[in-house]
């Protein structure tokens, strides 16, 4: 028997949630909602005595501000009532906590059939039609993919029975294992792949068919009672292991590349040829690489005591379907990468970054796509909740906006971890597994979460069934598991661990079993959230908050006992072996056997054509010479430049109390810092510097220049706060539109050539700067074909940097510090306005928004290296008061932000700025040339600074002033004379409150 | 001998490392104890001179911040907590810890009633979690032992539910009369309490940032003193360094030092 409890705020207590709904309904949906009251609904499906029920109701109700009723609360006058709840099988975090409160109240554990389910009621006032109320339910209050939405008029509500029905489906389907006949034609094979959402190519299907025909394989299968043809467990496991997501087939492919001069080249794996080769080359020159490309995250040495690990992931497709769930899963998911690296890292901080369509987008939206504002709000809230509730501070965050992200948003989430260099006297990065070690799965239970989730279309996802549930991260369950794992690690209770992410057990155990040479598991031993899962679903489920451990037999009892004390689910589900095969059982029955060598090495290589042809992009018409105040204000307020502080303040950046240079700096703490600095240990002044570079706009002109510029930006940001070449490591995250030629992608060879060129640049720049890539990820299918319109993202690379800083107290920040300080520009400005923020602003002004061509910034590695070394030594010597590296918007925006940071004015003469050739004013002001800095020092240090930079392009361009005005001029004319308040307003108003 | 402080951990609380470091720097001997280990034998509480409910997101703040954790503590430890307070010991709560203490009724703890919830910590008026630095003003007339001899202090806030609220005006007046408001959000320019966002980040009644019981030994606050232990935690430390005003240690440490001084004197 289930009970319904409704909870509302007392009269006189402000209902912020309701007010927010009314505000959004009016302002974003333009609907006449005059008021909205909200209530929480709990459906308590637990056997309770009347006294216990009253106690539960009391426990759920805040006696100071809330009131509640069993069944229904009397409703105030309303026009429409919308009630939302979760669909069966969807993670209900609030319900889970309520369950724990009930558990204490009844003094016994709840049975598997018992549970608490939650919903929210919105009582809307206003002259709305039913359709409008339904639209609010669908587009504002809930996501139909994962939630139920019911709409009632006042009369309907009065007439409706009290609904205490819990959203559960109880259909313990019989266990079924199907075998697939791969003996048919190619068309038959492709149909199996399509219908099963396996994404296997015909070459791959042939390889699978041939494997199962091997006599030795057949003999082994017969002995285990398996059919000759592959079972669903086996085929799903192979498809998962061989997926682009897990296998990175495009980066591993043979590429036939032809450049614009017709020169051909064959590349055996972009990853091996450029990325890993760069790291291998740099390895000879740096001594702090501990483990790269082999584990869940790259590991570098930090100090005598600690190593550091860093991983960044994307979670794009899930975030397009359910922005909140996709994003929270993204952040808590990437947390498990360092957590599962080496013997398990402690989590230090998070990074995030998103690419969206404009939140102000007012054009047509293809059917099935969410408005970018809704996606953005959901993604932020997901990562905010995931990070904050996990107690991990954020350090870096960015947003980029372009219409081509309407089809698929990019959601980057990164995590840095630390680990003692040795544990139990052994190097902590070493993972070992021996035959006989137990396989333990810990964390959450398994449901149908995320099975093929990302590949389903939304139509298919709308069925009333748990099978299609999207994952929703549960930070608290994960936090409990994390603390348990750290405790177990320090007690030496396990030998290896890894994360269950994409592909679930099939991928984590597939990976781990290659360390011992095989594994045998019994899926019937895996704990389930609810009945009715088929064996293949248990193996593939992407239910979150789970890790797999290899445990020495003698430690199993102690590990399980500790898990019980910490209220963490942990179960032995099998044994590692050296049989050479991954054997899957369900109880006594064998349901799958795959040889390790075939599973990991059997996937045929792809062959991809790439043909480079420089694109033709028109440039905007040059602007007549004159003042540029309006242009500067326009750029400061442009979506890609403007302040992102409103959303950023909702992320916890200071838990752990180790932050030193925060994401926002300056006297009003409102200017973005070039890079952030934090301590790693409480009793040491050493720390880490974090920064990043990203610029999808340069990709429209040349991905080689894009990649070079992005790495340069990520590196020079580190240098700007005090970092040092030779101590910087990098992470590459490639997000690409599908670059493989097909009917849907006729321009595949061009997109593949773009990928080749980006990789060439990565090798060239990383090896020159001694910045080894230590980890990375690629996401290669960022296209949307909904509503008959194909939208592909621009090639986008996030390059993240992490560097060790010996003494964080020497860090330098970007704001001007005191009036009278001389201002210097270091580095050459060139006529490089192609795809710059200025050209994009100008092109939009001229009504031809895509005509932002021109010369894309180049990179002079020799000059850059000398500049970075000299700047570092100037900071070490304590010469600088401020240092800021120009990025979007060039020098003009850089001067403005540094002035705003100090709340001080500046007088600048741009003629003095080092530059190449004769430049127009706009190039001097706005070119986004690489490797430049704007620095200040005390007047008495000017001579020392100038001497340090002798022989390098460095010149004094002006002075910091007490007058709160920024003036920029040349000998010819005044270009900018702007009051600081106007500049600040322009920078901050665009996304304030949005 | 350094006074022993028990710091409860688990279920989503997450400020254990910096809280442990704060007490250590202040000269105490803190120990981290998981809630389940404490519930198993609540009497071990009496081995300690002080107890701290730390910040974090116990049970994800679902059902209202601190509710689920508070319910568990009350269910298993009410008698031992009552004895702990009666023994003259100290309890500190920060952020989620303050929310837990308020839900439990430990604060404001009027008339010896420590287990009936009297005030609420509601959602911030601005409607969202916020992280930035505020200025606290400490009230001289409060009996709070943690805040003795302090006037103004910059500290970070990091919460979504920090608005101290009650519909009962008479109760609020009594809380004020008894000096149970040791700290308020203030305008750094004037030092006066303020209800203006963002100086007052949540719209708290009377700009209340923290509450103590009438003995002054039970204290909770929303801002995070344990997040300002180092001078470089301050958002303008760069400017302070240049001007020669960088303090030798983070100001937040003073609350812990006051507590340790009190314990060592008793």
């Amino acid at each position: 028997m289930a009970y319904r409890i409704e909870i509302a705020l007392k009269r006189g207590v402000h209902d912020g949630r309701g007010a927010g709904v009314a505000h959004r309904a009016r302002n974003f949906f333009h609907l006449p909602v005059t008021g909205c009251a909200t209530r929480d609904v709990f459906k308590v499906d637990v056997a309770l005595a009347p006294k216990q029920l009253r106690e539960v109701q009391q426990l759920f109700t805040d006696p100071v501000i809330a009131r509640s009723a069993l069944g229904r609360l009397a409703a105030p006058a309303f026009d429409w009532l919308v009630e939302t709840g979760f669909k069966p099988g969807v993670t209900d975090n609030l319900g889970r906590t309520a369950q724990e409160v009930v558990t204490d109240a009844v003094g016994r554990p709840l049975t598997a059939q018992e549970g608490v389910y939650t919903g929210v009621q919105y009582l809307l006032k206003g002259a709305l039609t039913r359709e409008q109320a339904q639209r609010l339910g669908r587009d504002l209050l809930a996501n139909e993919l994962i939630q139920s939405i019911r709409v009632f008029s006042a009369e309907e509500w009065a007439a409706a029975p009290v609904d205490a029905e819990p959203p559960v489906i109880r259909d313990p389907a019989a266990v079924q294992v199907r075998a697939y006949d791969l003996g048919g034609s190619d068309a038959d094979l492709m149909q199996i792949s399509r219908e099963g959402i396996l994404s296997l190519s015909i070459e791959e299907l042939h390889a699978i068919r041939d494997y199962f025909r091997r006599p030795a394989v057949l003999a082994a299968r017969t002995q285990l009672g398996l059919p000759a043809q592959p079972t669903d467990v086996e085929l799903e496991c192979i498809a998962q292991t061989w997926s682009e997501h897990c296998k990175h087939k495009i980066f591993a492919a043979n590429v036939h590349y032809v450049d614009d001069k017709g020169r051909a080249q064959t590349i055996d794996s972009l990853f091996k040829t450029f990325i890993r080769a760069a790291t291998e080359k740099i390895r000879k020159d740096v001594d702090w690489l501990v483990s790269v490309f082999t584990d869940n995250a790259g590991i570098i040495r930090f100090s005598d005591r600690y190593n550091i690990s860093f991983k960044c992931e994307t979670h794009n497709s899930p975030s397009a379907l359910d922005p909140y769930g996709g994003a929270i899963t993204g952040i808590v998911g990437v947390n498990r990468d360092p957590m599962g690296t080496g013997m398990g890292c402690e989590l230090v901080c998070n990074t995030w970054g998103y690419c969206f369509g404009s939140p102000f987008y007012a054009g047509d939206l293809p059917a099935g796509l969410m408005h970018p504002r809704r996606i953005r709000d959901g993604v932020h809230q997901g990562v905010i909740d995931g990070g904050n509730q996990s107690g991990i501070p954020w350090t870096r965050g960015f947003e980029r906006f372009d219409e081509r992200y309407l089809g698929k948003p990019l959601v980057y989430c990164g995590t840095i971890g630390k680990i003692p260099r040795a544990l139990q006297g052994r190097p902590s990065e070493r993972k070992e597994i021996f035959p006989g070690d137990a396989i333990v799965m810990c964390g959450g239970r398994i449901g149908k979460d995320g099975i093929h989730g990302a590949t389903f279309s939304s139509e298919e996802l709308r069925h009333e069934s748990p099978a299609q549930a999207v994952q929703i991260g549960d930070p608290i369950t994960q936090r409990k598991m994390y603390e348990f794992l750290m405790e177990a690690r320090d007690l030496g209770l396990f030998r290896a661990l890894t994360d269950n992410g994409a592909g679930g057990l099939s991928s984590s155990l597939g990976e781990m079993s290659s360390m011992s040479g095989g594994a045998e598991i019994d899926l019937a031993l895996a704990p389930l959230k609810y009945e009715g899962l088929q064996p293949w679903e248990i193996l593939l489920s992407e239910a979150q908050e789970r890790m797999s451990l290899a445990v020495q037999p003698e430690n199993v009892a102690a590990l399980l006992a500790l898990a019980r004390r910490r209220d963490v689910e942990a179960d032995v589900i099998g044994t590692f072996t050296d049989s050479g095969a991954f054997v899957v059982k369900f109880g006594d029955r064998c349901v799958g056997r795959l040889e390790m060598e075939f599973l990991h090495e059997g996937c045929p290589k792809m062959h991809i054509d790439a043909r480079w042809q420089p694109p033709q992009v028109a440039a905007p018409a040059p602007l007549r010479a004159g003042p540029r105040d309006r242009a500067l204000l326009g750029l400061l307020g442009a979506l890609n430049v403007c302040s992102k502080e409103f959303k950023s303040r909702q992320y916890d950046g200071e838990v752990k109390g180790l932050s030193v240079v925060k994401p926002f700096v300056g006297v009003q703490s409102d200017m973005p810092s070039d890079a952030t600095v934090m301590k790693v240990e409480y009793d040491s002044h050493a720390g880490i510097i974090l920064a990043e570079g990203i610029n999808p706009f340069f990709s429209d002109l040349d991905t080689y220049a894009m990649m070079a510029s992005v790495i340069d930006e990520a590196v020079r940001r580190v240098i700007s706060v005090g970092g040092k070449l030779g101590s910087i490591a990098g992470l590459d995250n490639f997000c690409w539109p599908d670059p493989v030629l097909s009917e849907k992608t006729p321009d595949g060879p061009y997109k593949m050539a773009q990928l080749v060129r980006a990789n060439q640049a990565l090798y060239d720049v990383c090896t020159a700067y001694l910045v080894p890539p230590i980890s990375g990820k690629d996401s290669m299918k960022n296209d949307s074909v909904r509503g008959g319109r194909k939208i592909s993202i621009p090639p986008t690379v996030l390059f993240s940097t992490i560097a060790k800083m010996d003494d964080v107290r020497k860090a330098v920040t970007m704001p001007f510090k005191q009036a009278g300080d001389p201002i210097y520009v270091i580095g050459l400005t060139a006529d490089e306005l192609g795809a710059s923020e200025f050209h994009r602003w100008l092109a939009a002004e001229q009504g031809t928004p895509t005509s932002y061509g021109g010369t894309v910034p180049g990179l002079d590695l020799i000059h850059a290296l000398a500049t970075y070394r000299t700047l570092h030594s100037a900071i070490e010597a304590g010469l600088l008061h401020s240092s800021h590296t120009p990025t979007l918007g060039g020098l003009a925006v850089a001067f403005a932000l540094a002035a705003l940071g100090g709340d001080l004015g500046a007088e600048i003469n741009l003629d003095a700025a080092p530059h190449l050739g004769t430049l127009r004013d706009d190039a001097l002001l706005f070119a986004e040339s690489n490797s430049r800095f704007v620095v200040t020092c005390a007047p008495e240090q000017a001579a020392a600074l100038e001497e340090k930079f002798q022989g390098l392009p460095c010149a004094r361009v002006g002075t910091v002033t007490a007058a709160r005005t920024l003036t920029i001029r040349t000998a010819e004319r005044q270009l900018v004379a702007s009051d600081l308040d106007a500049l600040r307003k322009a920078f901050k108003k665009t996304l304030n409150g949005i | 001998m350094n006074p022993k402080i028990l710091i409860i951990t688990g279920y989503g609380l997450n400020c254990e490392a910096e809280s442990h470091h704060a007490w250590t720097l202040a000269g105490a001997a803190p120990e981290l104890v998981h809630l389940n280990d404490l519930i198993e034998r609540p009497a071990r509480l009496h081995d300690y001179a002080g107890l701290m409910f730390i910040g974090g997101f116990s049970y994800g703040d679902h059902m209202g911040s601190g509710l689920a954790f508070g319910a568990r503590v009350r269910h298993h430890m009410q008698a031992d907590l009552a004895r702990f307070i009666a023994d003259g010991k100290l309890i500190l709560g920060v952020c989620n810890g303050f929310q837990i203490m308020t839900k439990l009724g430990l604060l404001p703890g009027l008339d010896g009633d420590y287990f009936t919830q009297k005030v609420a910590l509601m959602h911030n008026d601005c409607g969202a979690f916020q992280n930035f630095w505020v200025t606290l003003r400490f009230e001289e007339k409060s009996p709070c032992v943690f805040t003795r001899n302090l006037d103004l202090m910059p500290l970070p806030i990091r919460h979504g539910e920090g608005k101290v609220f009650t519909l009962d005006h008479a109760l609020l007046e009594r809380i004020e009369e008894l000096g149970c408001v040791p700290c308020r959000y203030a305008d750094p320019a004037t030092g006066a309490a303020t209800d203006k966002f963002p100086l007052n980040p949540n719209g708290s009644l009377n700009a209340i940032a923290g509450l103590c019981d009438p003995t002054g030994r039970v204290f909770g606050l929303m801002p995070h003193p344990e997040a300002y232990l180092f001078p470089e935690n301050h958002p303008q430390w760069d400017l302070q360094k240049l001007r020669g005003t960088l303090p030798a240690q983070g100001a937040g440490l003073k609350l812990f030092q006051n507590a340790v001084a009190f314990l060592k004197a008793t």
Side-chain angles (χ1 to χ4, degrees), chain A residues 244 250-251 316 404-405 408 410 412 608 696 699-700 703 706 734-742 744-745 747-755 778-784 790-797:
Chain A
E244 175 58 39
I250 293 172
F251 264 84
N316 308 336
R404 288 167 288 175
Y405 297 114
K408 225 176 223 188
L410 303 186
Y412 295 95
I608 309 176
S699 295
D700 291 331
T703 48
M706 178 278 289
F734 284 78
C735 287
W736 229 254
D738 187 356
V740 182
L741 178 67
S742 72
K744 274 191 282 184
T745 312
D747 55 351
Y750 173 70
K751 290 171 174 166
M752 193 64 198
Q754 288 183 302
L755 186 63
D778 56 88
S779 165
M780 306 303 291
K781 309 264 173 176
N782 292 289
D783 312 89
S784 154
K790 179 169 178 180
I791 308 177
S792 297
I793 65 155
T796 309
V797 181

Side-chain angles (χ1 to χ4, degrees), chain A residues 8-16 64-67, chain B residues 122 125 163 165-169 205:
Chain A
L9 292 169
K10 285 182 179 170
R11 278 177 201 90
V13 181
H14 176 66
D15 183 350
V64 179
I65 55 172
R67 63 208 162 85
Chain B
M122 286 185 64
D125 276 354
K163 177 182 179 174
F165 185 79
T166 170
L167 290 165
D168 183 347
H169 295 291
L205 294 183

Side-chain angles (χ1 to χ4, degrees), chain A residues 309-360:
Chain A
S309 67
F310 191 3
K311 178 62 173 279
C312 185
E313 286 265 12
T314 50
H315 223 224
N316 308 336
S317 301
S319 301
L321 293 177
D322 176 29
Y324 179 85
I328 193 171
T329 305
I331 191 73
V332 298
V334 78
N335 288 166
R336 288 196 304 275
D337 279 316
M339 203 189 293
T341 294
M343 290 301 286
C345 295
E346 298 147 46
L347 305 179
V348 172
C349 61
N350 286 332
T351 64
W352 49 263
Y354 319 126
C355 299
F356 296 124
S358 162
F360 306 110

Side-chain angles (χ1 to χ4, degrees), chain A residues 62-63 97 104 391 479 565-567 649-650 652-654 656 659-660 662 666 669 682 809 813 881, chain B residues 11 14 16 18 36-37 40 57 60 62 72 75 117 129 131 133 158 232-233 236-238 241-242:
Chain A
D62 185 312
T97 294
D104 254 2
R479 173 90 196 174
R565 288 182 73 82
R566 296 296 169 251
D567 207 357
R649 287 287 170 201
Q650 299 175 39
D652 186 341
E654 302 190 73
K656 299 290 161 229
S659 73
V660 174
K662 300 181 202 294
S669 299
Y682 290 97
R809 296 171 299 178
T813 55
H881 275 177
Chain B
Y11 292 95
N14 59 36
E16 65 285 336
E18 59 270 46
N36 288 353
D37 292 347
E40 193 181 62
F57 272 84
H62 310 132
R72 287 202 73 191
H75 189 83
Q117 185 189 339
F129 182 99
N131 174 198
W133 284 60
R158 314 190 308 247
E232 294 81 18
N233 287 139
Q236 281 85 36
W237 71 271
D238 48 352
K241 181 179 157 195
L242 201 106

Side-chain angles (χ1 to χ4, degrees), chain A residues 9-14 42 55 59-65 93-94 97-98 100-101 104-105 384 388-392 394 474 476 479-480 483 564-567 646 649-662 664-669 679 682-683 685 808-811 813 815-818 881, chain B residues 9-19 21 34-37 39-40 56-64 67-69 71-76 103 117-122 125 128-133 156-158 163 165-167 224 226-230 232-239 241-243:
Chain A
L9 292 169
K10 285 182 179 170
R11 278 177 201 90
V13 181
H14 176 66
F42 291 87
E55 194 190 336
L59 279 171
F60 281 18
T61 314
D62 185 312
V64 179
I65 55 172
N93 286 327
L94 173 56
T97 294
E100 306 228 10
V101 173
D104 254 2
I384 287 168
N388 291 1
Q389 295 184 17
S390 301
I392 304 165
W394 76 286
D474 172 2
I476 300 306
R479 173 90 196 174
K480 282 159 61 182
E483 289 176 3
R564 271 194 303 277
R565 288 182 73 82
R566 296 296 169 251
D567 207 357
F646 177 76
R649 287 287 170 201
Q650 299 175 39
Y651 294 76
D652 186 341
E654 302 190 73
V655 58
K656 299 290 161 229
L658 293 167
S659 73
V660 174
V661 175
K662 300 181 202 294
F664 291 97
V665 293
V667 293
Q668 296 186 26
S669 299
K679 290 161 54 125
Y682 290 97
D683 50 1
H685 293 297
V808 295
R809 296 171 299 178
K810 288 186 174 171
T813 55
F816 292 152
K817 298 296 187 306
Q818 66 184 25
H881 275 177
Chain B
T9 66
Y11 292 95
L13 293 173
N14 59 36
C15 297
E16 65 285 336
E18 59 270 46
S19 300
H21 191 62
H34 193 279
L35 177 67
N36 288 353
D37 292 347
I39 281 176
E40 193 181 62
F57 272 84
S58 59
Y59 291 96
D61 271 7
H62 310 132
M63 313 193 69
L67 183 142
F69 201 95
R72 287 202 73 191
V73 170
R74 183 191 289 116
H75 189 83
H76 294 281
K103 288 281 190 317
Q117 185 189 339
K118 291 285 169 51
V119 301
L121 282 164
M122 286 185 64
D125 276 354
F129 182 99
Q130 294 289 318
N131 174 198
F132 52 80
W133 284 60
I157 54 103
R158 314 190 308 247
K163 177 182 179 174
F165 185 79
T166 170
L167 290 165
H224 288 269
E226 83 288 2
Y228 188 19
L229 303 177
F230 308 112
E232 294 81 18
N233 287 139
H234 192 279
Q236 281 85 36
W237 71 271
D238 48 352
L239 206 55
K241 181 179 157 195
L242 201 106
R243 292 181 177 160

Side-chain angles (χ1 to χ4, degrees), chain B residues 239-255:
Chain B
L239 206 55
Q240 293 175 335
K241 181 179 157 195
L242 201 106
R243 292 181 177 160
T245 57
L246 194 66
Q249 60 185 32
L253 187 55
K254 289 178 189 157
L255 281 89

